Structures are given as C-alpha cells and as structure tokens.
C-alpha cells in the first residue's frame, strides 16, 4: 500500500514539473525550448501512469525497491529544478523590468533637463539682450549727470553719482557676459577641421593692444589641426591669454601655449608666470560670476565660465595647476576623431 502511494506521489511530482515547465514559457518567453522540456516531462509521467494502471489491473502491488526509490528522488529533483529555474527567471525579469523602468526614468529626466536647459539658455539670451537698451539709457544719463553736475553739488552727491555710474557699468558688463555665455550654445557653428596655430594667431591679434600695453611675451610650440567651432576656439584661447595678462605678477607676462597627444585627445596647456591661484578654488573659479579678487582687477568673473562651456561643448575638460606667486597652467582637452586629424 505504501509503495503504491509513493508511486503516485512520484507521478504527481513529474506532472507538476511538466505543468510548471509550461508556465515558464510565459515567464521566459522561450516558447519552443520549454514546450520540448514540458513534453518530455509529460511523456515520462505518462509512461509511469501506464505502468501503474497495468499493475493495478493485474491486482499486483508496486514493489518498493531501489529503482522506485531512485525514481521518486529523481521526480523530487525534477520538480525542485523547475521551481528554482522559475524563481531564477522571475528574478531576472524583475531586475530587467526595474532596469527598463530606470532607463525610461533617466531618459525622461535627460529630456526634461535638456528642455529646461534650452529654455534657460533662451531666457538668458532674451533677458540679457532685452535688458541692454534700458540699461544703456540708464548708464548714459548717469554719465551725463556726472559730467554736468560734478563739483556743483556737495561731496556726498559726487560720491553717490560715481557709485551709481560704476554700478550701471558693472551691470552692463555682467549682462554682456551673460549674453556671451548663452551664445556658446545658441550661436555655435558646425564643427570643422581648423588649425590650432591659426586660431591662436587670431586670438593674439585680437589682444594686440593689451599685449603691447603690458609688455607680454607669448610663445607656442607645435599645435595640431583639431575639429571644432573656429570662433569659439579663438574665444577660448583669447580668454585664457587675457586672463594670464590680467593676473600678472611684477614681472612682464610670459605665456607659453603647447599641445601634446594623450591617447584619444589633444591636451593643450596655457602656462603663465602670474600671481597664481590657490588650489582650493579649482572648481569655484569656473563658476559664472565668481571672482577671487577685489576691484583691483577688472572683469565680472565670466571669462573662465565661458572657457569651460566651450571646452565641454567640444567634448573635453578644463582644469588648472597653480602655486601662489609661481604662475598657473590651464589645461584643456579636445577629443581626436577617427579620421586621423582630430
């Protein structure tokens, strides 16, 4: 009697394994493979069912021998194996679903950030452009008041007018800087092959007056052909050179520009002998409108922000090494393309 029960349990386990194998089609999506496996399991169970019916019809009992015990163990292992595979694929599907959901969320976030960035750029351009005219009028009238009434009012009035004119001029410079910053994205041109030596030459030509006034010496090593926006790259070199001249030491400014290939990118360096920058400002210095010095140095703190924006648009990065009183080296990278030039 016990042997008959164990035989039926063995058959039940095999049938359950076959049914679960069919359910794995829905979980894994591998239809043909699991149909074949399930069919094989059903055939094994059907063979034992036929044997069991044959034994019962003859009035015999199933003998509880070693083969039957092994058959029962195999049936248990078959069911456990199918259940473990089911749980494994369920975990995979769950992880895959979570991954897809995360990817979709990232795509939505990126799209939202892109849209917000475009709106912000457009807002910055419109705001800075539309603010120029009324601010120009304010500055003009303040300068007119300063010329006409200086010395005719009391000392405090002259001082207040000076402060107002200076504030209007600085605000005008900030708006012009914001406009230039937004134009890196809105006014960019398609990338093309350009000679970095010619770009540097144009930047030096644009800075001819301040170079001569400060007695600056600019030298350069061999510079490569790179791929990018010519006007923006000129502005990049121009801003870095102008920055080196502005923050000069007691010695005449000496600036050296060089480039070397590093794996899949060109590494440019602009080295000066200026006052230097503390390393604690390595991130802050590239933030828009961030100034590390007082009014003794002109500017509104946007030149290096534009440099970083240009370099990042070209797929590179910008950073510096410096020591107070011993000058600064600004580094920036430009990726090299597969055509052998850049």
């Amino acid at each position: 009697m016990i042997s008959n029960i164990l035989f039926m349990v063995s058959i039940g386990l095999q049938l359950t394994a076959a049914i679960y194998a069919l359910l794995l089609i829905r979980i894994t999506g591998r239809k043909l493979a699991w149909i074949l496996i399930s069919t094989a399991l059903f055939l094994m169970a059907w063979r034992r069912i036929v044997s069991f019916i044959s034994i019962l019809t003859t009035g015999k009992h199933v003998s509880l021998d070693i083969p039957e015990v092994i058959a029962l163990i195999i049936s248990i292992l078959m069911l456990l194996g199918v259940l473990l595979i089911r749980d494994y694929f369920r975990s995979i599907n769950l992880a895959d679903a979570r991954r897809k959901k995360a990817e979709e969320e990232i795509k939505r976030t990126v799209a939202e950030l892109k849209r917000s960035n475009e709106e912000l750029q457009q807002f910055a351009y419109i705001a800075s452009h539309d603010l120029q005219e009324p601010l120009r009028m304010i500055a003009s009238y303040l300068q007119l008041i300063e010329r006409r009434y200086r010395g005719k009012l009391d000392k405090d009035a002259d001082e207040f007018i000076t402060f107002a004119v200076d504030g209007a001029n600085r605000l005008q410079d900030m708006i012009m800087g914001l406009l230039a910053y937004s134009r890196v994205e809105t006014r960019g041109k398609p990338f093309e092959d350009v000679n970095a030596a010619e770009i540097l030459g144009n930047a030096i030509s644009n800075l001819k007056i301040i170079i001569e006034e400060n007695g600056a010496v600019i030298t350069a090593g061999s510079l490569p052909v790179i791929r990018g926006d010519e006007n923006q790259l000129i502005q990049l070199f121009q801003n870095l050179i102008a920055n080196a001249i502005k923050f000069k030491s007691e010695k005449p400014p000496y600036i050296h520009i060089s480039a070397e290939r590093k794996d899949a990118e060109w590494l440019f360096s602009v080295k000066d002998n200026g006052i230097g920058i503390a390393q604690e400002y390595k991130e802050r210095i590239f933030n828009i409108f961030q100034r590390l010095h007082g009014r003794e140095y002109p500017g509104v703190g946007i030149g290096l922000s534009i440099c970083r924006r240009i370099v990042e648009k070209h797929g590179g990065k910008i950073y510096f090494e410096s020591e107070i009183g011993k000058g600064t080296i600004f580094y920036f990278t430009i990726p090299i393309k597969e055509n052998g030039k850049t």
Side-chain angles (χ1 to χ4, degrees), residues 131-149:
L131 282 173
Q132 283 189 82
E133 189 54 39
L135 183 59
R136 189 181 297 113
M137 182 180 296
I138 293 170
S140 296
Y141 276 106
L142 284 173
Q143 290 168 359
L144 181 62
I145 292 172
E146 184 181 37
R147 288 196 300 271
R148 183 171 295 182
Y149 296 103

Side-chain angles (χ1 to χ4, degrees), residues 89-128:
F89 278 108
R90 277 183 175 173
S91 65
I92 288 178
N93 289 350
L94 183 60
D96 190 54
R98 288 174 178 171
R99 179 183 58 79
K100 288 181 179 179
K101 184 177 180 181
E103 287 177 352
E104 290 174 359
E105 187 66 27
I106 290 172
K107 287 180 181 179
R108 284 195 295 269
T109 303
V110 169
E112 182 65 23
L113 287 174
K114 184 178 179 181
R115 183 188 64 79
S116 299
N117 190 42
E118 289 174 351
E119 289 180 353
L120 184 60
Q121 290 172 7
Q122 189 67 16
F123 170 77
Y125 177 78
I126 293 172
S128 56

Side-chain angles (χ1 to χ4, degrees), residues 158-209:
D158 288 343
E159 188 176 0
F160 296 158
I161 292 172
T162 300
F163 287 155
V165 171
D166 181 60
N169 289 335
R170 284 191 293 111
L171 183 56
Q172 198 167 28
D173 289 341
M174 292 178 72
I175 289 176
M176 291 299 292
L178 185 60
L179 189 59
Y181 185 79
S182 66
R183 280 176 172 169
V184 173
E185 295 293 337
T186 60
R187 296 293 181 89
K189 296 195 302 183
F191 288 4
E192 58 184 3
D193 290 344
V194 290
N195 191 316
E198 294 179 2
I199 289 173
L200 176 61
N202 289 331
I204 291 173
S205 179
N206 293 341
L207 297 171
K208 182 179 179 180
I209 294 176

